[in-house]
Amino acid sequence: MVVGIIGAAGYAGSELVRLLARHPRVRSLSLGSVSLAGHIEDVYPNFLGMVSRPLHKPEEVVAASDVVFAALPHGVGEAYAKACLEKGISFIDLSADFRFDDDEETYKAWYGTGFIVPALRKCSVYGLPELNRDRIKTLAAAGSVIIGNPGCYPTAASLAVFPALATGIAAPERTIIVDAASGITGGGRDPQKSFHFPECADSMSPYKVGAHRHTPEISRNVKNMAGLFGRDAPEVIFTPHLAPMNRGILSTSYIPLKKDFHAVSYAAPCSAPRPPSKEVETSMLEIREMYAAFYKDEPFVRVLPAGIQPATGRVRQSNVCDIAVNIDQSGTTLIVVSAIDNMVKGAAGQAVQNMNIVMGFDETEGLDTIPALF
Amino acid sequence: MVVGIIGAAGYAGSELVRLLARHPRVRSLSLGSVSLAGHIEDVYPNFLGMVSRPLHKPEEVVAASDVVFAALPHGVGEAYAKACLEKGISFIDLSADFRFDDDEETYKAWYGTGFIVPALRKCSVYGLPELNRDRIKTLAAAGSVIIGNPGCYPTAASLAVFPALATGIAAPERTIIVDAASGITGGGRDPQKSFHFPECADSMSPYKVGAHRHTPEISRNVKNMAGLFGRDAPEVIFTPHLAPMNRGILSTSYIPLKKDFHAVSYAAPCSAPRPPSKEVETSMLEIREMYAAFYKDEPFVRVLPAGIQPATGRVRQSNVCDIAVNIDQSGTTLIVVSAIDNMVKGAAGQAVQNMNIVMGFDETEGLDTIPALF
Amino acid sequence: MVVGIIGAAGYAGSELVRLLARHPRVRSLSLGSVSLAGHIEDVYPNFLGMVSRPLHKPEEVVAASDVVFAALPHGVGEAYAKACLEKGISFIDLSADFRFDDDEETYKAWYGTGFIVPALRKCSVYGLPELNRDRIKTLAAAGSVIIGNPGCYPTAASLAVFPALATGIAAPERTIIVDAASGITGGGRDPQKSFHFPECADSMSPYKVGAHRHTPEISRNVKNMAGLFGRDAPEVIFTPHLAPMNRGILSTSYIPLKKDFHAVSYAAPCSAPRPPSKEVETSMLEIREMYAAFYKDEPFVRVLPAGIQPATGRVRQSNVCDIAVNIDQSGTTLIVVSAIDNMVKGAAGQAVQNMNIVMGFDETEGLDTIPALF
Amino acid sequence: MVVGIIGAAGYAGSELVRLLARHPRVRSLSLGSVSLAGHIEDVYPNFLGMVSRPLHKPEEVVAASDVVFAALPHGVGEAYAKACLEKGISFIDLSADFRFDDDEETYKAWYGTGFIVPALRKCSVYGLPELNRDRIKTLAAAGSVIIGNPGCYPTAASLAVFPALATGIAAPERTIIVDAASGITGGGRDPQKSFHFPECADSMSPYKVGAHRHTPEISRNVKNMAGLFGRDAPEVIFTPHLAPMNRGILSTSYIPLKKDFHAVSYAAPCSAPRPPSKEVETSMLEIREMYAAFYKDEPFVRVLPAGIQPATGRVRQSNVCDIAVNIDQSGTTLIVVSAIDNMVKGAAGQAVQNMNIVMGFDETEGLDTIPALF
């Protein structure tokens, strides 16, 4: 199988190259760039002697490939998606263009322009396997398909919240708060002041507070998962931060519990918080079991044993999402922490996972990397 | 004036040495350690040729000094506090022992043991100047005083929440969520697995979720500030994280607004979030003005101009707390981000600020460091 | 094939686990620890759901395995080496115990104690394949073998110097200087002050200057390679530094050239240095070609194209050694920079490479990881 | 006194602002930028509420000031230097324009263009106080002066080598090798690929090997110091590296000793290196004493006690240069390690030190910061 990657010279693109060059089902790679020529190993000398491939024009990549990935800015890739469908091959898109199905209004509100070829959404599906695996399979079974590969924050946040929605323990009338931090690779390959080493090393800061484009994507996932179980969905507030590290997203989600699931923490109302009581601990363990049950067949989600918290360093370079279930000291709010590698499960790895599903391969092929501790 | 520092060999103690050695009102330092002997510059070679002082026994420090700081583990310093009061000098304590006034129950619930000399609380005050400056002054005017110097997280979080409580815009029946990250110096000088470079570098993780000792301290500050204005106080949930940096706390507080203060964001209920509307922006600017007015006379709090977010790197080695006022996209929840240097405003700097108040000096003496960008 | 790893709970041991758990020839792992019990995934939660193995006693590991790795402190593993030989299986030792062949005097001078079972050296070989591949193969062909797996610095430094010795361009009467920096994982898993995050983050320092145990190992390699070509060998000075990063060794070697190979840089003696002349550049390119030719069949050594310098970040988690050939501005001294991942080519990866050679597998099996850029 | 800073918006410029805004002799600052308008606190929000100053045109700064600093690219500042001299005030230049006195050939060879106003060199002096203090004073006594403030690497390297030249223990016919690493702030404020966080974090690499512009500056200093004592000077090879940290230069200098000063290490030639003998240790201690004596009156140089190595983290934000004297195991080569903060002693701090000398102030005024450990 020849796999095409358009936008191979960006960070997400180069991560696709790294993963797909070792994928057991991939015979060769056809790499493309909208703006650069030369070879991929000129741009990324880490590939020297391991991956040596010229950068073609996107059209040539489409022509040469059996499936095409695109890691391009928003609004650039639709033409190639169309060309792929016409050729009868699938297109896996890492931009936001196909993440909103036919909700062009929301897409336009956050990304500024409307869809270029709206009809493509008839063949597209949001590629979060833990939410949409069946839809992806159904669509792929019917022919070629466009995958809207999820954003990095939405992946980490949605996986943390899904079981609480599915099991109905989340209070739908209360807002879910997602507070997350990303490594600097999330900002891409283009040198900018915000990602200049002295400006961000040894420092932490938030950005786009109350106004990040991943908010509607998370909200949409929340509504879709709640909808699958016939439930109302809570609103979502999301705040991203920049942390002084290369890879990883750590996401902390605050999910108010329905009254029925409150741990009875104190005998009487109390003026000051107390450490978690035995009831709170029990409640946490029960909900942890719900989470473990929800994800028991998922190959890439690990619900951690009680007492172990996720660390981005512990999922580095793997497609794993680590999840810890916690409760606040009063037993009324779930605090679910999730960690992913933003470049793998948050981008290129999840895209390969989607390819595996679309092509009918085992979902873990080419993605069985054991995360290194450092 | 001779200033004593017991526990000078710990990180907070060494930061006190650094600050007080250059304080214009300090003639000399008397340094003490419970367990170490030798000189401070043997422990911290950065002091070589600049601060050369032997480490004495704590009793000797009390005897030699006009005011005493203690940076000791919880439960160790009360005897020295008592000795100071008996000698008629003030005692500034960086442990949690005097942060709860006479609420021994809460202290005991979180720190395991009760007060050793409960009566000392008659002369003690929680040393967050932005909350208690008048009480500190009044108590100090009456004689020697014990300062319970605030925790690092409670300082950052409380300063972010205070104006919303004072102005009555926070909805008292809704929980405030404080999500914060600390640099690794917060873990102290003792080598441990969690703070071993390869275990925490280039990684991020939460700890003590739903069970951190700073939760009751933040909650108490929230209640006290609301109480000053005759208001009910919201509950608090607090989650700390470890970020791969040396210094700094970045704290993001989610404060639900009373209905009256909701920005009318959307003409009609909408199924998906929209970017902040003009009403939301206006609401944010108004509340930012409230914050700026609240802190207009505070020497160490900077309410940042709209559009600038705090970064821990931008308050490095200074006693400043930077605050940015944001609102979520729907205009119903305040998202206030604050940044401090955990070792300065979060520990030693605030202790010196308290000393300045107690001794009647200008509050900024010895604390006018301009933060370096890197 | 069952592979045993004694000392699996240390950093080098855990890296062996990570690599061997995905090695195509390995059926299962038998893990051992001298001091710890429990499971490996309790010690390293990054293994959860991927590698689940109990920690056995070392003797049990020997009994269960077809080949045994040991990542133990110096002086601890000889008994297990002996047991392996008696059982007729090979033993790959990551300590220094078998790095000096029969030169017990030198070993003792630097490591304090002598050999425990000196006779084992009859079956041992220093496992730097680029130096000793044939000896390893010959010995292994004759039965079970003990591999003294090289130190991290000696690997990086020796590979940088070998071609200059083999081709005879290095001046034997002049000292080679090796100045190198290591990531903090080189210090192992045990929390210590030197590796406590706040003490080493954002800082750089040397250690054991003029007195590091890897000096005699580098010197020995230099003499052995020169000896292979019948040449005299230069002396070696080696200085290690600690750099604030997780993995990697960057080694800069200064190799004085024989007069015959000096570039004629300036027409006349000149009072001040000048930028490299065309002659110097040409000389550099010629020597670069010698290096490329020397390593042309080595699967893990990349002689970089002119203009590209090694970066530890570019060999991360791979078994590759990147080498750049440079000359000083006057054309008299070769400046060869090499980069490896200290945990892979500098420890566990090279050990697996040795296993591949000993067992007759393709040398790259299980070691074809493409280095990630970040 | 009004102090002018042209190029205030660059990193070195902003560091000058930080230091001079707290200098006891400075009444006010006049800031200038060649390309930017607005206020300095718009560019560097860390200055908010502490330093609020508009950015003027350079000519206006010259007109308003009693002394002028320039932190500009090479070749840009000569016109302002000339204007200052004409006005009768001193000019402290952080570029390379005045670092080579009248040796225009060497300047041109490395910086590409010649001097613009060659005659200015009659009033200029290379501002390394430890080399040229008397010349600076003499020139300043005669009127206004131009200071060519040293480069960061040359400062660290020269201070490490000077005592060996002055005491005549360095072998003049052998090359001195300087191997050094710099924090990323050394690359300036302009975002570039090399300084983009993901490209340099957690990684180390060399750059401009054998071809860095600081080579002739170090070489010049070596010759000048040797010349002061009537000695021949060794050649210099210099290799810079980029280390993943914000501030700091760590420089390791290898200085071959004259035969007379070789420690007699081994009774007989020995095939393998041995740990340092007692003779080597004694030799090291004697030379350490020479170093301490040489610098005994220098306010900013600390020759560290035996057993303590410099760390860049231990001179952070101070004007100190820490120096450790070591010898290689054979006792023939001095290994002197020095650490400075590249932005302070390596740039802005040394410039202020020069201002203090020129203006007749105490040399340490405004520069007495105690370095923080982290």
Side-chain angles (χ1 to χ4, degrees), chain D residues 2 7 15 36 39 43 58 86 113 163 173 193 213 222 233 245:
Chain D
V2 178
E15 195 76 355
L36 290 178
H39 278 65
V43 186
E86 286 168 1
T113 54
E173 77 284 3
K193 192 167 165 292
R213 291 168 167 182
V222 163
M245 57 190 188

Side-chain angles (χ1 to χ4, degrees), chain B:
Chain B
M1 186 173 69
V2 178
V3 171
I5 304 170
I6 305 175
Y11 276 173
S14 81
E15 193 77 354
L16 283 167
V17 173
R18 191 175 69 87
L19 292 173
L20 290 165
R22 288 287 178 269
H23 194 289
R25 300 292 190 127
V26 176
R27 185 169 53 81
S28 79
L29 299 178
S30 173
L31 306 186
S33 171
V34 173
S35 55
L36 289 178
H39 278 65
I40 188 70
E41 68 269 32
D42 301 336
V43 186
Y44 294 101
N46 47 315
F47 289 146
L48 276 167
M50 299 195 160
V51 185
S52 173
R53 283 261 162 272
L55 294 170
H56 299 286
K57 298 204 169 155
E59 298 75 16
E60 297 167 353
V61 172
V62 172
S65 303
D66 301 308
V67 59
V68 171
F69 292 81
L72 297 167
H74 313 301
V76 177
E78 290 202 35
Y80 312 125
K82 186 158 173 283
C84 284
L85 286 198
E86 285 168 2
K87 188 188 162 184
I89 61 174
S90 289
F91 182 84
I92 300 172
D93 184 47
L94 278 73
S95 85
D97 293 350
F98 296 99
R99 292 180 189 161
F100 294 88
D101 294 326
D102 58 0
D103 184 1
E104 187 171 357
E105 292 258 323
T106 298
Y107 177 82
K108 198 172 174 178
W110 290 89
Y111 290 87
T113 53
F115 295 156
I116 292 167
V117 191
L120 292 174
R121 277 72 196 173
K122 284 179 197 150
C123 310
S124 80
V125 54
Y126 182 73
L128 188 54
E130 293 80 1
L131 173 68
N132 277 347
R133 184 177 287 109
D134 290 344
R135 273 189 69 202
I136 301 170
K137 284 185 176 174
T138 307
L139 215 58
S144 56
V145 61
I146 297 171
I147 300 284
N149 205 59
C152 49
Y153 287 118
T155 297
S158 302
L159 295 178
V161 176
F162 280 169
L165 302 166
T167 55
I169 58 176
E173 76 284 2
R174 302 290 294 275
T175 300
I176 290 175
I177 287 173
V178 176
D179 188 289
S182 171
I184 316 277
T185 53
R189 183 170 170 261
D190 208 30
Q192 298 181 26
K193 191 165 166 293
S194 310
F195 314 129
H196 189 48
F197 188 95
E199 305 276 333
C200 55
D202 206 45
S203 183
M204 192 158 171
S205 61
Y207 62 103
K208 293 193 187 153
V209 184
H212 193 281
R213 290 166 168 185
H214 283 174
T215 308
E217 191 179 334
I218 300 171
S219 176
R220 205 178 153 79
N221 292 348
V222 163
K223 292 202 167 77
N224 285 348
M225 179 53 78
L228 281 182
F229 291 83
R231 304 185 196 284
D232 288 338
E235 297 299 321
V236 171
I237 292 177
F238 162 61
T239 309
H241 299 75
L242 218 50
M245 56 191 188
N246 268 334
R247 288 166 176 262
I249 282 181
L250 192 88
S251 179
T252 303
S253 296
Y254 299 85
I255 310 166
L257 290 165
K258 276 188 193 152
K259 281 245 167 81
D260 293 355
F261 296 93
H262 284 197
V264 181
S265 178
Y266 312 131
C270 174
S271 64
R274 286 286 174 272
S277 63
K278 217 180 143 181
E279 289 91 341
V280 169
E281 303 250 340
T282 305
S283 172
M284 182 270 281
L285 290 170
E286 285 169 5
I287 296 175
R288 199 207 148 275
E289 284 312 304
M290 290 184 189
Y291 266 68
F294 184 84
Y295 283 128
K296 72 177 191 307
D297 297 327
E298 283 298 337
F300 294 115
V301 182
R302 302 193 293 199
V303 178
L304 297 175
I308 299 185
Q309 298 294 344
T312 59
R314 235 187 269 129
V315 296
R316 196 176 281 138
Q317 296 190 353
S318 94
N319 202 47
V320 162
C321 176
D322 271 358
I323 292 180
V325 176
N326 306 278
I327 303 196
D328 84 295
Q329 73 277 354
S330 71
T332 63
T333 300
L334 213 53
I335 306 173
V336 184
V337 185
S338 53
I340 61 170
D341 184 321
N342 62 315
M343 301 301 290
V344 187
K345 183 65 178 169
Q350 186 147 262
V352 172
Q353 186 181 357
N354 277 311
M355 179 193 80
N356 286 342
I357 298 173
V358 167
M359 308 301 280
F361 305 152
D362 185 291
E363 204 165 320
T364 63
E365 282 201 76
L367 293 172
D368 66 346
T369 306
I370 299 174
L373 180 57
F374 34 72

Side-chain angles (χ1 to χ4, degrees), chain C residues 6-7 31-35 56-63 68 72 80:
Chain C
I6 305 175
L31 307 186
S33 171
V34 172
S35 57
H56 299 286
K57 299 206 169 154
E59 297 75 16
E60 298 167 354
V61 172
V62 172
V68 171
L72 297 167
Y80 312 125

